[in-house]
Amino acid sequence: MVGIIMGSQSDLAIMEQAAQFLQSLDIPYELTVVSAHRTPERMLDYAKTAKDRGLQVIIAGAGGAAHLPGMVASCTTLPVIGVPILSSNSIDGWDSVLSILQMPSGIPVATVALNGATNAGILAAKIIGSTNDSIAQKLEIYQNSLEAKVLSTVDEIKKIHPNHYG
Ligand code: RP5
């Protein structure tokens, strides 16, 4: 249902975070390495066959001169979520961010924060959840859990520091 690709195995530790979120919601995914620069034919084939293989969303991560998400987006009608990676060949992350973010008009890539693979997984789930009630319900439970988690820290901190708000 969701395709997760990355330019190199060195991106895996970050990109696995998208897979982990999808797993937590029982959303099927496939994950592999596809490099825009080192395996250009594989990239074109992956993008052109993605829809027919049943994918609904693609999450693509890359670092440095991060052309993978944009090039994949140019070869498919599926929504592409881009994850800029702070890689060994990245100056400071901005190169990856801008390479993925600053797409020309007509070929959008939904760009998340630097190393923001978890948010990419959540966004993919939301795209699928817009037409899938079961996934939408799971997302609601997840979002409610975030509130509960923050409120538990409020109680925890209150034991140590005064707070008259609540
Ligand atoms: C990019 O170059 C990859 O996505 C990775 O983030 C970066 C470095 O790749 P390696 O040299 O570690 O394979 O294309």
Side-chain angles (χ1 to χ4, degrees), residues 6-159:
M6 64 211 76
S8 168
Q9 186 179 18
S10 62
D11 302 321
L12 185 61
I14 296 296
M15 294 304 290
E16 272 180 332
Q17 295 166 24
Q20 280 158 10
F21 183 80
L22 295 172
Q23 270 173 339
S24 75
L25 262 52
D26 295 318
I27 297 174
Y29 68 90
E30 60 171 33
L31 181 153
T32 188
V33 172
V34 177
S35 169
H37 303 122
R38 294 164 175 161
T39 66
E41 301 293 343
R42 177 173 165 80
M43 176 198 65
L44 291 176
D45 185 65
Y46 184 94
K48 287 178 180 175
T49 59
K51 194 165 186 295
D52 287 345
R53 286 184 294 107
L55 298 186
Q56 290 179 271
V57 188
I58 295 173
I59 299 173
H67 296 137
L68 180 67
M71 286 305 297
V72 167
S74 75
C75 299
T76 179
T77 56
L78 296 177
V80 175
I81 302 168
V83 184
I85 308 273
L86 182 56
S87 57
S88 60
N89 64 323
S90 174
I91 296 170
D92 56 5
W94 274 113
D95 42 10
S96 321
V97 170
L98 296 176
S99 296
I100 296 177
L101 182 67
Q102 292 299 115
M103 288 296 293
S105 179
I107 311 292
V109 170
T111 309
V112 296
L114 188 68
N115 290 345
T118 299
N119 267 0
I122 295 168
L123 185 53
K126 287 191 167 195
I127 290 170
I128 294 170
S130 68
T131 54
N132 181 318
D133 286 345
S134 151
I135 290 174
Q137 276 168 15
K138 289 178 187 176
L139 279 165
E140 200 169 335
I141 292 168
Y142 168 73
Q143 290 193 190
N144 289 340
S145 81
L146 295 181
E147 184 176 17
K149 201 183 278 181
V150 170
L151 292 180
S152 78
T153 68
V154 168
D155 291 340
E156 199 60 33
I157 292 170
K158 201 175 178 179
K159 290 178 194 161

